[in-house]
Amino acid sequence: MTMKHSLFQIEPQALIDAVLQNPPSGFEALPIEINTKKLPAFLTEFDLLITADEPIQRFIHKISPFLPKKICQDLLRPRTLFVGTTVSEFSLFPNEINYEELPNILLEKMSTLKTKFLVVKDIAPESPLFSETENCISKKLCQAFTKAGFILLDGQAMAYIPLDFDSLDTFFSRQSASRRSDWRRKRKKRSITELHVLKTGDPLFQDEKIIDCFYSLYENVYNKSDIHFEKLTRPFFRKILTDKHADGHIFAYTFQGEWIGYSLCFHYGDYFIDKYHGAKYPEYRNNNLYYVSWFDTLEYALEHGYKTAVFGWTNPEIKAYLGSNFLYTTHAVYIANPLLRNILKHFAHTFESDRKTLENWYAQHQKHAQK
């Protein structure tokens, strides 16, 4: 059993340390000291529309040209104190924490920094992934934040698969015939690509040109993404890829001798986590690498005795199709302006798009299955 550095931690500490030393573009690492312990936190300008419903986004984009630039900046990209990290699935808290005092400590820090927003990002839900103690603390944290005037919002849907089967064939057998057929068809592309299972710290990553290549592949995926919360830096990737203590595994694929994609994964305790992807388009799509790497990762985690494969955020509909379960984290949000704070209370549901997306997907899938 791996000893956790923090509550709700499912990633190696090296990953957390790397992002604090090499924060994302536009982020300033600002760990908050609580009883000699460091609570990971960052300062940044936050785009409020990242998780808003499409109608809200369209409306704001339509009217923003008619609003003064400063108002748009203050309202839509406020200076924000984020508690949590951009590389951990959940907010990390010291093992010994006074959850009743925590909200006030954070509000005092917010006041000192004069930020307009305070977001405690991705508080872990009560779930089978955590101990009874952690689940109890999660519940009490949410109660404490609510009592202090924070607004609780659903975060993104985190995909995971309990590895309670003995082979991929068993996993496939739980799905419909049409889905099994489609999965096997997509996996056939595996035969024309070459898989290289590498570990962080591999001598290959001593070559700066390889670091450049892998970072460029990450940037390709970032630029294609609909959600741009943070952009990780090349120094961060270099730190991770060259660190043999990071417990990272890279499922990298070549086609005709050229790197065309990879999944960067980490293991910690009973978890195997698929974190970052890199891709060269259109070769990545032409070879179905999203699906190929998904099942390669799942099979590797199964064969090596992990209990849970975690596939993170984004693309919830595709991940639901691939057999994932989901957890919804909670964001605790505090807005300095009382008028805006009251407005957000009434429109909070418009910032919980993943839950709506999955509810619609499951409803349509259930309707299709009944035909």
Side-chain angles (χ1 to χ4, degrees):
M1 174 70 72
T2 301
M3 179 63 71
K4 291 188 175 185
H5 287 76
S6 304
L7 293 167
F8 313 115
Q9 183 169 346
I10 65 172
E11 298 86 2
Q13 187 62 31
L15 186 63
I16 311 304
D17 293 339
V19 80
L20 289 171
Q21 296 163 12
N22 305 279
S25 299
F27 282 66
E28 177 188 349
L30 193 76
I32 299 171
E33 188 167 317
I34 300 179
N35 298 329
T36 74
K37 302 292 184 181
K38 296 289 188 180
L39 189 64
F42 297 83
L43 278 176
T44 190
E45 290 182 357
F46 176 43
D47 183 353
L48 291 182
L49 297 182
I50 283 178
T51 60
D53 283 350
E54 284 188 19
I56 293 291
Q57 292 188 25
R58 288 196 299 268
F59 174 73
I60 295 297
H61 288 308
K62 188 174 182 178
I63 67 170
S64 58
F66 303 99
L67 298 174
K69 186 175 181 180
K70 189 176 187 310
I71 290 180
C72 286
Q73 178 73 15
D74 289 347
L75 290 179
L76 301 181
R77 295 189 65 87
R79 189 164 180 261
T80 301
L81 172 61
F82 272 100
V83 177
T85 86
T86 63
V87 300
S88 59
E89 302 297 316
F90 308 105
S91 279
L92 306 177
F93 299 95
N95 287 299
E96 295 180 1
I97 185 172
N98 187 324
Y99 42 81
E100 292 181 345
E101 291 182 359
L102 179 62
N104 289 330
I105 292 173
L106 298 180
L107 287 172
E108 287 177 9
K109 190 69 174 179
M110 177 189 187
S111 177
T112 300
L113 295 169
K114 295 182 171 55
T115 63
K116 299 179 184 300
F117 272 60
L118 166 58
V119 178
V120 185
K121 181 179 179 293
D122 294 317
I123 300 172
E126 296 180 70
S127 82
L129 293 186
F130 301 113
S131 67
E132 184 178 343
T133 297
E134 285 175 306
N135 281 330
C136 181
I137 290 173
S138 174
K139 182 177 180 180
K140 290 181 177 179
L141 277 170
C142 288
Q143 290 172 343
F145 282 120
T146 300
K147 185 178 179 181
F150 286 70
I151 301 162
L152 301 187
L153 303 176
D154 278 345
Q156 289 180 271
M158 191 203 80
Y160 73 100
I161 296 178
L163 301 178
D164 56 357
F165 43 90
D166 56 8
S167 68
L168 280 188
D169 284 339
T170 302
F171 179 65
F172 279 30
S173 70
R174 298 175 178 179
Q175 312 301 323
S176 66
S178 61
R179 195 180 297 195
R180 291 198 303 270
S181 176
D182 185 47
W183 288 0
R184 290 194 169 101
R185 179 181 60 81
K186 285 180 166 62
R187 288 199 82 203
K188 285 182 180 179
K189 288 284 189 177
R190 175 73 173 74
S191 62
I192 61 174
T193 58
E194 185 175 355
L195 170 63
H196 309 260
V197 181
L198 308 167
K199 292 187 177 181
T200 52
D202 189 285
L204 176 72
F205 299 118
Q206 296 302 315
D207 185 344
E208 294 295 328
K209 291 182 179 178
I210 295 294
I211 302 291
D212 287 340
C213 174
F214 276 58
Y215 184 65
S216 176
L217 295 179
Y218 159 77
E219 286 187 306
N220 290 343
V221 174
Y222 175 85
N223 292 333
K224 287 280 186 181
S225 174
D226 292 330
I227 296 178
H228 286 165
F229 176 59
E230 90 286 6
K231 183 178 182 182
L232 297 167
T233 65
R234 184 188 184 282
F236 168 82
F237 268 82
R238 187 183 188 284
K239 172 67 176 174
I240 288 299
L241 292 174
T242 58
D243 185 357
K244 64 181 179 181
H245 301 297
D247 293 324
H249 292 69
I250 303 98
F251 296 79
Y253 298 84
T254 53
F255 177 67
Q256 298 179 349
E258 185 177 13
W259 299 106
I260 63 167
Y262 65 84
S263 297
L264 175 54
C265 306
F266 297 88
H267 70 82
Y268 187 76
D270 292 330
Y271 306 103
F272 197 76
I273 308 106
D274 187 333
K275 277 288 186 185
Y276 306 114
H277 288 195
K280 183 178 186 296
Y281 301 108
E283 291 84 350
Y284 184 86
R285 286 201 180 100
N286 292 344
N287 287 281
N288 284 335
L289 274 195
Y290 185 93
Y291 300 94
V292 167
S293 66
W294 175 284
F295 289 115
D296 283 344
T297 299
L298 190 61
E299 189 169 44
Y300 182 94
L302 183 65
E303 290 176 350
H304 286 78
Y306 297 101
K307 292 183 179 179
T308 307
V310 177
F311 290 96
W313 324 102
T314 71
N315 302 319
E317 291 170 299
I318 295 175
K319 291 174 181 177
Y321 177 72
L322 288 168
S324 294
N325 297 340
F326 291 92
L327 297 174
Y328 295 96
T329 61
T330 298
H331 302 321
V333 181
Y334 193 91
I335 306 173
N337 185 305
L339 176 61
L340 290 179
R341 190 160 64 242
N342 190 53
I343 291 173
L344 181 60
K345 286 181 182 178
H346 292 90
F347 289 91
H349 63 282
T350 65
F351 293 89
E352 301 174 334
S353 57
D354 267 11
R355 184 179 290 276
K356 296 182 183 68
T357 296
L358 281 172
E359 287 173 351
N360 290 337
W361 186 89
Y362 283 120
Q364 292 174 6
H365 179 72
Q366 184 68 25
K367 186 177 179 180
H368 178 75
Q370 291 173 349
K371 288 183 178 180

